[in-house]
Amino acid sequence: MYVFISVLILLAAILLILIVLIQNSKGGGLAAGFSSSNQIMGVRKTTSFLEKATWTLAGTVVVLSIIITAFIPRGDHSTNQSEIKEQVNEAVTIDPNLVSPDFGTAQQAEAPVEEPAAETPAPATEQP
């Protein structure tokens, strides 16, 4: 039933698009081609037909969209969980201190400190 109503909504939407494209925003549109008063559908009748068709199709799309919500396929939540939920439930807890880098918080091995050699003063030179 869900697929059937979806197809009806699709058809109504396509027809609505075509009807709106036929219309002219200034009232001409398809009706402008029927300028002769001897036509079966005169200018005014064509315009009113297109307007009624637009409103009818728009209403049909809205009503069918509301009706289709009753037919949305829903799974049983207790048996069909998403894969992500299953992975979260089955996940093994990992100690973050074992996996993450320590960023220098652990004590470093002490390297021997070398003392700089004592500097001997340079001999003073005499200037003439």
Side-chain angles (χ1 to χ4, degrees), residues 50-100:
L50 291 175
E51 184 177 348
K52 286 179 185 177
T54 302
W55 284 107
T56 303
L57 288 171
T60 303
V61 169
V62 169
V63 169
L64 287 176
S65 297
I66 293 171
I67 291 173
I68 200 170
T69 59
F71 297 103
I72 294 176
R74 293 181 175 88
D76 187 13
H77 294 293
S78 62
T79 58
N80 294 334
Q81 292 184 356
S82 69
E83 290 184 30
I84 295 173
K85 273 189 173 180
E86 289 177 6
Q87 289 176 1
V88 168
N89 292 337
E90 296 173 1
V92 177
T93 57
I94 298 173
D95 185 13
N97 293 327
L98 298 176
V99 178
S100 63

Side-chain angles (χ1 to χ4, degrees), residues 5 19 30 60 62 97 110:
I5 296 175
I19 294 288
L30 184 62
T60 303
V62 169
N97 293 327
E110 292 185 26

